[in-house]
Amino acid sequence: MKSVLIVDDHRIVIAGCRRLLSKGGDYELFEATTADEAFIRFAERQPDMVILDLGLPGMGGLEVLRRLLTEDPHCRVLIFSMYDDPILVARALQAGAKGYLTKNDAPEELIVAIEAVLAGEVYLSHSMARELAVMTHRPGRRPDLTPRELDVLRLLGQGLALGEIAERLGISYKTVANTCTQMKDKLSLKNTRELIRYAVEQHLAL
């Protein structure tokens, strides 16, 4: 029996994963809804693999991934996220994830992904694999950004929400939002998603 740790702050997602896995194979399942809880469960249970959401409160998913791999370099992590930007997918794979699945993919694909990762393979949906194959990185000149703007941009690239960034930097939510607006103007970007993409392309999310 293979053991799987599901890390997601939405219990309805955890419940859905449990239902799917109960029908798709013989798994011992554990769960965590925060990063700190995930580290405790991981140390206690030493699961065969981890299903990890990128949008955990308090700590960016990529940071959680890196810490898990620091504790166990052989850890098999499948990212299961609402984010479908191929640049974030590439960053997760570079950080050591063994697969990436979005919450918009077909439910049965989760079983396929888990089996592939447990077998030692890297799993991506066909559509995501195609997007990664044609994606090119074109870092350009960075306009002059202030130290605060760079800090906010780096944390955006790590997957933190605006409120989490405010708490991490010890500033107000309004200050973070205004800083994002200023950066969008400087960089000629339309929205926060494009800011995140820019942070990753410029290798600021490390």
Side-chain angles (χ1 to χ4, degrees), residues 9-23:
D9 62 325
H10 293 95
R11 293 194 177 277
I12 191 168
V13 173
I14 292 177
C17 288
R18 281 185 170 276
R19 284 195 299 271
L20 280 170
L21 292 176
S22 67
K23 298 175 182 178

Side-chain angles (χ1 to χ4, degrees), residues 36-170:
D36 288 341
E37 199 174 61
F39 299 138
I40 293 171
R41 296 286 180 274
F42 186 80
E44 289 175 345
R45 303 295 185 175
Q46 293 296 302
D48 293 301
M49 72 171 290
V50 177
I51 299 173
L52 175 64
D53 180 24
L54 286 183
L56 295 176
M59 182 181 291
L62 292 180
E63 190 174 342
V64 174
L65 170 63
R66 293 189 186 100
R67 182 164 163 182
L68 289 174
L69 289 171
T70 297
E71 294 186 17
D72 179 6
H74 302 293
C75 174
R76 296 170 178 171
V77 180
L78 170 68
I79 301 298
F80 187 45
S81 173
M82 63 179 287
Y83 302 116
D84 60 359
D85 191 318
I87 290 197
L88 288 179
V89 178
R91 181 61 68 197
L93 295 177
Q94 290 167 3
K98 298 301 182 185
Y100 197 109
L101 200 66
T102 76
K103 292 177 181 178
N104 290 324
D105 288 317
E108 57 270 17
E109 195 163 356
L110 179 62
I111 300 296
V112 177
I114 290 171
E115 292 177 348
V117 171
L118 285 172
E121 303 170 10
V122 174
Y123 185 85
L124 293 171
S125 66
H126 293 304
S127 60
M128 188 59 68
R130 284 196 302 270
E131 287 194 56
L132 284 178
V134 301
M135 184 181 67
T136 57
H137 294 281
R138 298 174 180 172
R141 182 182 67 83
R142 296 180 194 171
D144 291 331
L145 297 178
T146 67
R148 172 169 289 173
E149 288 170 342
L150 287 170
D151 284 341
V152 171
L153 192 58
R154 174 176 55 82
L155 294 174
L156 275 175
Q158 292 177 5
L160 273 67
L162 299 193
E164 295 167 339
I165 294 172
E167 183 177 350
R168 181 76 63 87
L169 297 179

